[in-house]
Amino acid sequence: SQQGEEDPQALSIQEGENATMNCSYKTSINNLQWYRQNSGRGLVHLILIRSNEREKHSGRLRVTLDTSKKSSSLLITASRAADTASYFCATRNNAGNMLTFGGGTRLMVKP
Amino acid sequence: EAQVTQNPRYLITVTGKKLTVTCSQNMNHEYMSWYRQDPGLGLRQIYYSMNVEVTDKGDVPEGYKVSRKEKRNFPLILESPSPNQTSLYFCASSNRLDQPQHFGDGTRLSIL
């Protein structure tokens, strides 16, 4: 079953603008992770936020987690054409043995 | 270089012909898993392994087998492939269950 649902499914912005992607999930989690996938390639881990954390930063990335609303957001600031990719959220269940992915957001950053 | 290696990267085959996709990691990770990626469905977990000789089903295990005889290898076996198993497959590993996964570059399977 698909735990996470990303919103929007596709996003097109101009270079320099900020991009915000949202993820909602259904059951309680141990942590939530964001991954990036360039076309046809493997996923690359971006950032992990634990259930007891509310916000994390990594370079131009900012992730928030609201466990009461079962939602997370990924903000990419000052986007670049090289940020063009699909972005996935994934939730780790409390037992830790399953990682469940959402359907992804396709981001296009126009130069 | 730390990596997860899958082989083959591409395979076109026919219904019923047994095939194996290999996965190997050089990071001494305990946890390994297989996913399939289909348009509009994201990644779905097929099987996972928490250590040598310990495997368990994910969300979509039907039609697949796995084994974990050594820590570094986690092959995915399709005993009798069918067209609905045409997909992009990813192997991943992590050191601990609560750590991020390292993904291979994927194997694109087409079952005719």
Side-chain angles (χ1 to χ4, degrees), chain B residues 11-79:
Chain B
L11 179 63
I12 301 173
T13 187
V14 295
T15 299
K17 186 176 181 182
K18 180 180 178 179
L19 66 91
T20 299
V21 185
T22 64
C23 173
S24 180
Q25 50 93 4
N26 62 359
M27 295 166 280
N28 202 37
H29 285 169
E30 291 186 351
Y31 183 89
M32 297 185 74
S33 58
W34 276 103
Y35 300 87
R36 62 177 287 173
Q37 184 176 26
D38 302 288
L41 295 177
L43 279 82
R44 292 178 292 167
Q45 194 167 29
I46 303 170
Y47 269 95
Y48 63 93
S49 169
M50 293 167 67
N51 214 325
V52 176
E53 302 290 1
V54 181
T55 63
D56 210 343
K57 297 176 181 178
D59 288 326
V60 288
E62 294 78 19
Y64 305 94
K65 286 174 58 177
V66 293
S67 70
R68 188 93 182 272
K69 294 184 171 60
E70 307 163 280
K71 199 171 189 178
R72 64 182 292 125
N73 295 323
F74 190 45
L76 178 70
I77 303 155
L78 285 71
E79 293 270 3

Side-chain angles (χ1 to χ4, degrees), chain A residues 87-101:
Chain A
Y87 293 81
F88 294 87
C89 70
T91 53
R92 177 77 77 181
N93 62 350
N94 281 324
N97 56 350
M98 297 282 288
L99 188 66
T100 306
F101 285 82

